[in-house]
Amino acid sequence: MTSTTEEIAREIAAKVRRDAELKRHTREAAKEVRDYWRSIAPVRTGAYKASIHLGRESVKFGMPNVQVKATDHKAHWIEYGTGGNTPTPEFACAAKTEAYFQMEERA
């Protein structure tokens, strides 16, 4: 890249990082992801569903990013199952949520 091209790229990246509207839209999209994930989460005690929340905001590849995650200590078992003779099946809520929103992008 030429020096002028690099300067333009840096300026665009800086403006994207400061763009309040883009950050707001990113947070709103993350809330939609959280709400969908909660809507398909199995409920036994409610702890797993309640643990699905918005996490840290950051910049990834120059764009605003908001994590959506489950923090219940059983989240891994609920997502992938426990296998063997144990009764926990694989629910794959995070994977189903990701697939849902990827399909929505294509529509």
Side-chain angles (χ1 to χ4, degrees):
M1 268 196 288
T2 67
S3 141
T4 306
T5 306
E6 290 171 355
E7 289 172 19
I8 292 170
R10 279 194 298 273
E11 186 176 334
I12 290 170
K15 286 185 179 189
V16 165
R17 282 193 297 274
R18 292 190 307 262
D19 189 322
E21 186 175 352
L22 183 57
K23 288 179 183 179
R24 184 177 55 79
H25 284 295
T26 302
R27 276 192 298 276
E28 290 303 315
K31 288 177 184 177
E32 287 180 36
V33 170
R34 177 203 59 202
D35 294 346
Y36 179 80
W37 187 352
R38 284 179 177 171
S39 77
I40 64 169
V43 178
R44 184 170 177 190
T45 66
Y48 170 71
K49 185 175 184 173
S51 82
I52 301 167
H53 67 279
L54 302 184
R56 187 181 63 144
E57 293 186 26
S58 63
V59 176
K60 207 172 212 180
F61 304 110
M63 299 297 287
N65 181 58
V66 178
Q67 292 179 339
V68 181
K69 59 185 181 176
T71 55
D72 186 313
H73 73 280
K74 299 177 297 302
H76 184 80
W77 300 324
I78 293 169
E79 184 68 18
Y80 302 105
T82 54
N85 295 328
T86 57
T88 306
E90 175 183 325
F91 287 97
C93 301
K96 290 175 184 174
T97 299
E98 181 179 0
Y100 175 82
F101 283 95
Q102 284 178 352
M103 292 303 291
E104 192 174 83
E105 285 178 6
R106 290 187 205 145

